[in-house]
Amino acid sequence: MVISRTPFRISFFGGGTDYPSWYLKHGGAVLATTIDKYCYLTCRYLPPFFPHRFRIVWSKIETCQSVDEILHPAVRETLRYLGINSGLSIHHDGDLPARSGIGSSSAFTVGILHALYALQGQMISKLQLAQESIYIEQKVLKETVGSQDQTSASYGGLNQITFSQNGEITIQPLTLANERAQDLNDHLMLFYTGIERTAADIAQSYVPEIESKSRQLN
């Protein structure tokens, strides 16, 4: 059994410049940090004594015979991406509700990819984890999402993340003295409003016209 713990994130500056449609032309950068709230994923091989081959527990409980039957898009496509057909039991828990604006969907993708690699005895780098999670969300799932959430979830901590026009992502950890870090924490407040929304759906309303936002993003 493998258990992955992937942090959620809050973003301070630079949101919008992490969309490929922007940074591949202009470059981009964000300042973001992960927080002490997490997405937990438990993965284990399922013994061949059950009437199903896959059991996926999230807001739904799925029991399936094939990968194609799995409803959760990130689970289904990550299994396809890794070419996994062995029976699995996957269980998700989170410290915060989904669709609350703290990068939970990308944390899930990072967490399931990390856990499934580990289940196969492979430990990949943080950069590879970020890059492959971005690929799955943007290219496979075709979601209108940026690239900062997957990167923050993969690396953790307070970072300046730079997106180059050639597609490269550079992570610069920002080290604060304990006193400064405590001072920052003492001046931050995070509220749960109860409002749920899907970031990809909201992004579809402005990303196609992101070039018109150059005054705000530059």
Side-chain angles (χ1 to χ4, degrees), residues 7 34 110 125-130 150-157 159 169 171 173:
T34 52
V110 169
S125 69
K126 294 177 181 180
L127 180 59
Q128 182 181 347
L129 183 58
Q150 308 88 339
T151 307
S152 284
S154 298
Y155 278 82
N159 300 293
I169 300 175
I171 297 86

Side-chain angles (χ1 to χ4, degrees), residues 8 13 21 34 45 73-74 76 79 84 95 107 112 131 145 150 152 158 160 166 168 171 176 178 181-182 188 202 205:
F8 298 134
F13 301 106
S21 57
T34 52
Y45 289 115
R76 182 184 64 247
L79 290 173
I84 295 176
D95 286 333
I112 190 66
Q131 290 173 331
V145 295
Q150 308 88 339
S152 284
L158 175 64
Q160 177 182 318
N166 63 5
E168 290 185 1
I171 297 86
L176 300 180
N178 290 338
Q182 187 60 52
L188 292 176
I202 293 176
S205 67

Side-chain angles (χ1 to χ4, degrees), residues 74-124:
V75 174
R76 182 184 64 247
E77 298 307 328
T78 302
L79 290 173
R80 284 177 175 166
Y81 176 76
L82 294 177
I84 295 176
N85 290 303
S86 303
L88 290 174
S89 175
I90 298 172
H91 191 285
H92 166 259
D93 271 310
D95 286 333
L96 296 173
R99 298 182 294 278
S100 52
I102 35 77
S104 58
S105 61
S106 291
F108 186 102
T109 303
V110 169
I112 190 66
L113 186 63
H114 199 186
L116 291 173
Y117 265 121
L119 192 63
Q120 298 176 95
Q122 301 180 56
M123 296 303 294
I124 63 173

Side-chain angles (χ1 to χ4, degrees), residues 3-74:
I3 302 174
S4 68
R5 186 181 79 162
T6 310
F8 298 134
R9 68 97 187 101
I10 55 175
S11 182
F12 296 114
F13 301 106
T17 68
D18 65 311
Y19 286 92
S21 57
W22 176 265
Y23 68 74
L24 292 177
K25 294 181 180 178
H26 308 283
V30 300
L31 177 64
T33 187
T34 52
I35 60 176
D36 60 349
K37 298 293 182 286
Y38 302 91
C39 163
Y40 298 88
L41 281 153
T42 302
C43 299
R44 70 182 183 94
Y45 289 115
L46 194 66
F49 309 113
F50 295 90
H52 50 268
R53 293 185 63 238
F54 297 95
R55 186 172 189 267
I56 319 296
V57 180
W58 45 302
S59 60
K60 299 179 174 64
I61 299 177
E62 301 187 52
T63 53
C64 311
Q65 290 295 340
S66 70
V67 171
D68 293 342
E69 296 174 15
I70 296 173
L71 297 178
H72 195 294

